[in-house]
Amino acid sequence: MTVDEVSTLAETIRREVAKAVVGQDETLALMLVALFAGGHILLEGPPGTAKTLLAQSFARAVGLDYGRIQFTPDLMPGDIIGANLFNFQTSSFTLTRGPIFTELLLADEINRTPPKTQAALLEAMQERQVTIDGESLALSPRFMVVATQNPIEQQGVYPLPEAQLDRFLFKQRVDYPSADEERRIIAAHGARTAAMDPAEWGVERCADAGAIEAALATVSAVRLVDEVIDYIVALVRATRTSGEIESGASPRAGAMLAGAARARAALDGRDFVIPDDVKALAPALLRHRLILSPAAEISGRSIEEAVAAIIAQIEVPR
């Protein structure tokens, strides 16, 4: 598959998802980058902004098996990954696989479950495998987590630990639609009372496992020149020396940023990365990895402002 074919495939996926989801173009673009970079994405936004419908439509369009877990305070790790259950008929243990054995997993309201249960996703997100009673079981190489969380409610939530946040390639803030988009949503969806199903909106499958694997191979071959590598290193290291940041980004963040930039270049039909790829993706990749210093918090600075200041101060290679 050539980069032009990757770009064409991405555009087809966008058109299919747009049949069910109005707007959310930036979020969909980041989901495509995450898919072709082999990463995961965390969507943060108020209820009713189509996060679940977007994940369902995306999974259908790209031909991935879809699974959903509604995270609640009483959810246990075994409810996610599965367990060996004793079968009294055969007097032996039988493996019962959990809902994590899918390709695109929607982790809905992930911050509503305790850290012990959140941690059940760590191995799966990093190594695409789970361990049950000492046995490692492989997940699909296309395994992708789309997690959601509600930033409004603060009661009964468990903020994700830094180690788990670092496993997400992007954190995207899903905002309310524009007035025109909201009018189109109400006009299209207002008459529907049944549960939203992408198939009802005509969303068709336009990719399969072979196409996704071919696209991933094409992305991995996108050129990354030394000047762009130096730019990524400078950005990541600047987060550790900024007076506004208490805890900066890890080397893993730099490696992920390089992979994401490769994917964005291929989606644009290029076989080489340009600095603008890095600059465009840096906010979504860094915002959940940085912790503001106490002085910055007291002065009323936001993490968005701190990230923008770091990006602005690093010279872009020409």
Side-chain angles (χ1 to χ4, degrees), residues 7-308:
S7 180
T8 301
L9 175 61
E11 187 56 38
T12 305
I13 293 171
R14 288 189 183 97
R15 286 198 301 269
E16 290 300 318
V17 173
K19 293 178 180 178
V21 181
V22 177
Q24 304 294 3
D25 296 337
E26 184 180 347
T27 302
L28 179 56
L30 288 177
M31 290 175 69
L32 282 167
V33 172
L35 173 68
F36 293 124
H40 315 283
I41 186 168
L42 174 63
L43 306 180
E44 182 180 85
T49 49
K51 298 185 295 295
T52 300
L53 180 59
L54 178 60
Q56 288 178 312
S57 302
F58 183 78
R60 181 172 176 82
V62 300
L64 297 180
D65 292 335
Y66 172 78
R68 180 178 181 269
I69 301 175
Q70 181 65 51
F71 282 80
T72 56
D74 60 347
L75 200 69
M76 299 297 290
D79 297 328
I80 296 175
I81 64 175
N84 283 311
L85 303 180
F86 188 75
N87 188 327
F88 287 95
Q89 293 181 333
T90 62
S91 297
S92 62
F93 285 91
T94 302
L95 174 64
T96 301
R97 294 175 180 247
I100 200 171
F101 287 89
T102 187
E103 292 183 319
L104 190 145
L105 176 67
L106 174 62
D108 209 3
E109 294 191 292
I110 191 173
N111 58 335
R112 286 231 173 255
T113 200
K116 178 174 69 173
T117 305
Q118 293 172 356
L121 289 173
L122 284 174
E123 182 183 14
M125 293 174 67
Q126 184 65 28
E127 302 173 31
R128 287 180 169 78
Q129 68 175 27
V130 296
T131 301
I132 301 176
D133 293 341
E135 181 183 1
S136 295
L137 304 171
L139 298 173
S140 167
R142 296 172 297 281
F143 177 73
M144 176 181 179
V145 174
V146 178
T148 71
Q149 62 181 19
N150 178 359
I152 300 175
E153 295 177 314
Q154 301 300 324
Q155 293 184 342
V157 298
Y158 304 84
L160 292 175
E162 303 306 317
Q164 183 147 15
L165 283 172
D166 200 42
R167 295 319 198 269
F168 285 100
L169 178 61
F170 298 127
K171 178 183 177 181
Q172 171 67 353
R173 299 189 187 278
V174 181
D175 207 349
Y176 291 114
S178 66
D180 178 64
E181 289 172 342
E182 191 158 6
R183 187 185 186 284
R184 289 160 53 199
I185 292 170
I186 293 172
H189 294 259
R192 303 263 182 148
T193 57
M196 292 292 96
D197 182 359
E200 294 181 4
W201 296 94
V203 178
E204 299 291 342
R205 177 176 177 174
C206 52
D208 55 19
I212 299 300
E213 290 174 4
L216 289 170
T218 301
V219 167
S220 66
V222 171
R223 287 176 292 155
L224 192 66
V225 298
D226 290 341
E227 290 80 5
V228 176
I229 294 175
D230 292 340
Y231 180 50
I232 294 173
V233 171
L235 272 177
V236 172
R237 294 183 67 85
T239 65
R240 304 175 202 151
T241 57
S242 171
E244 295 186 319
I245 303 298
E246 180 179 352
S247 176
S250 67
R252 174 163 51 197
M256 284 183 163
L257 183 52
R262 278 192 164 107
R264 187 178 187 272
L267 291 173
D268 280 351
R270 287 180 279 106
D271 62 356
F272 57 92
V273 176
I274 60 176
D276 282 349
D277 293 323
V278 177
K279 193 173 182 178
L281 298 174
L285 186 134
L286 293 175
R287 62 168 58 107
H288 58 296
R289 291 183 163 87
L290 310 182
I291 299 176
L292 281 176
S293 66
E297 288 186 347
I298 292 173
S299 64
R301 292 281 280 180
S302 68
I303 196 66
E304 302 291 338
E305 293 171 333
V307 169

